[in-house]
Amino acid sequence: MHETYDVVIAGAGPVGLMMACELRLAGVDVLVVERLDEIDPTMKAGGINVPTAQALYRRGLLPELVAESARMRDQMARFLTAGDESADEPIAPPFLGHFAGIMIGVGLVDFDHSSFADLGPAAEVYLVSQQSIEALLGRRAAELGVIVRRGVELTDFEDDGSGVTVRLGDNTVRAGWLVGCDGGRSIVRKLAGFDFPGLDPELTGHQAIVEMTGAEGLNPGWTTTDTGIYVHGPVPGRILTVELDGPPADRDAPITAAELQASLRNVSGVPVEITAVHSATRFTDNTRQVTEYRKGRVLLAGDAAHVHSPFGGQGLDLGIGDAVNLGWKLAAVVRGWARPELLDTYTTERHPIGAWVLDWTRAQVALMRTDLRSRKLREVMTELLATRDAATVIFKKISGVLHRYDLGGGHERVGAAVPDFELSDGTRLGRHFADGAAVLFDLADSAELRAAVGPWVPRVRVVTAKAVEPGDLTGMLVRPDGFVAWAADGGSLAGLEAALGRWFGAAG
């Protein structure tokens, strides 16, 4: 007899682990399989955006994020002051991010803009590596009882309409649903036959942690040259190169010190010598996205659903957003209080954000090209991004504070992330989601409001507390992923029952 699970997840990277944790919070039986024996040490994303930080904060993981971010800030600051004998202590990193390697200075961004209001303490956390996120989520998954099997590769599956039979080498398991979180070359995507349109690559990139001599000739940070772009830092030994002369001939070939050295010399013009390689990867600007995120009982998330260049560091964030959007919906279907049609909103909500990320990276590649026209356009963009208005616009986009879903409804907060303002009981709104449930915030101590949501309890938990700084809001229904499904001013309950039914099934 086959082992049986509610959901099998292919891939134990950050996206697969986040998905598994979301499902386990709702009591779903999950198996995660991963072909790698341990966490991939290759350096990838070095930071997270506001929605990712908030998603982890809502699940009670803020202390670990703060500690890791502080460690990385210190490491970066020491790199920036290395060799500067006049520096009494490490300085804070002077940049918040970049667009095509054009840096966004900390002092240029207008943080008084309304887009940055009520973000809460999670917004202060951004320097966290992908490996740290993966390790953190691995620990949380273990605490929640998620079964993770490493060194196990999914080789085939069959969706028969009532479930999925998944082949794992010589073994098979039976699941109600299969979720592919298995990366840009997803076997789940390929076997299921998802359409995956997009653009072919035109560049070769390398990113590595190395030991080298002659590094004193390299500029710290991002540097544009006549032959491409290179990055040195912000942690010791980290290099990145971009050459726009076509994709690699063999992306799967082992990466050697000689290859990295040749690329860095070509782009920088500095005669460095790479003496050791601790981790390395190739990348391109291949940009593709599936047209639908679900096919029957098979769903995709993260790089399995969309691939793009790493510029701007949006990939990890995009995948975590997929996981928190899909996790509670799939759990609701598994638990039986939501119809499978709820899963269609996963594509509706996440596909536009994925498409935006792809276009965002394509625009950056256009500014990295070495032809004269592109160089002149880059000069213009560099001047613009040195202004307060432009820097603020770009940072609002890369920080993710503008992300929202079109959920209908007349209130301005519907479809936006829940604000993290303080409540009179000493908590903040974001602290009320650790169990993964939806929350109705009764901000006016309304017996009528509490009675209206009664038939949906415990699918929806009620929190009664006033805001420390009273505003017009009297009630707010927030989905488990932290997005507002209904809100009202002045005590009105119009639209509440419809929102409850739409997102949390029939009453009773």
Side-chain angles (χ1 to χ4, degrees), residues 42 205-208 250-261 277 279-283:
T42 304
H206 295 89
Q207 183 167 216
D250 183 357
R251 192 171 172 186
D252 295 323
I255 303 173
T256 65
E259 178 184 346
L260 294 171
Q261 178 175 292
V277 179
S279 71
T281 185
R282 293 185 192 89
F283 63 87

Side-chain angles (χ1 to χ4, degrees), residues 297-419:
R297 289 181 169 265
V298 180
L299 301 112
L300 302 177
D303 289 349
H306 35 68
V307 295
H308 53 85
S309 73
F311 304 130
Q314 297 287 327
L316 171 63
D317 299 312
L318 186 57
I320 294 292
D322 291 346
V324 297
N325 184 284
L326 175 59
W328 72 272
K329 296 174 182 176
L330 184 54
V333 173
V334 169
R335 297 297 299 274
W337 55 259
R339 295 178 59 81
E341 287 75 15
L342 178 63
L343 299 176
D344 295 336
T345 67
Y346 172 49
T347 295
T348 301
E349 293 172 8
R350 293 303 299 172
H351 194 280
I353 294 179
W356 171 78
V357 169
L358 265 64
D359 287 342
W360 190 253
T361 62
R362 288 165 178 156
Q364 291 181 78
V365 170
L367 279 182
M368 293 179 175
R369 291 176 180 147
T370 56
D371 63 277
L372 181 59
R373 292 182 178 88
S374 298
R375 290 299 190 205
K376 293 307 174 184
L377 179 59
R378 186 179 183 86
E379 290 177 9
V380 172
M381 283 298 297
T382 300
E383 289 184 16
L384 286 173
L385 290 178
T387 68
R388 190 172 183 81
D389 286 347
T392 300
V393 167
I394 293 295
F395 186 68
K396 282 193 294 185
K397 288 183 175 291
I398 63 177
S399 67
V401 298
L402 299 181
H403 289 181
R404 62 184 300 144
Y405 303 136
D406 182 7
L407 304 185
H411 199 282
E412 63 180 1
R413 290 196 181 272
V414 172
V418 60

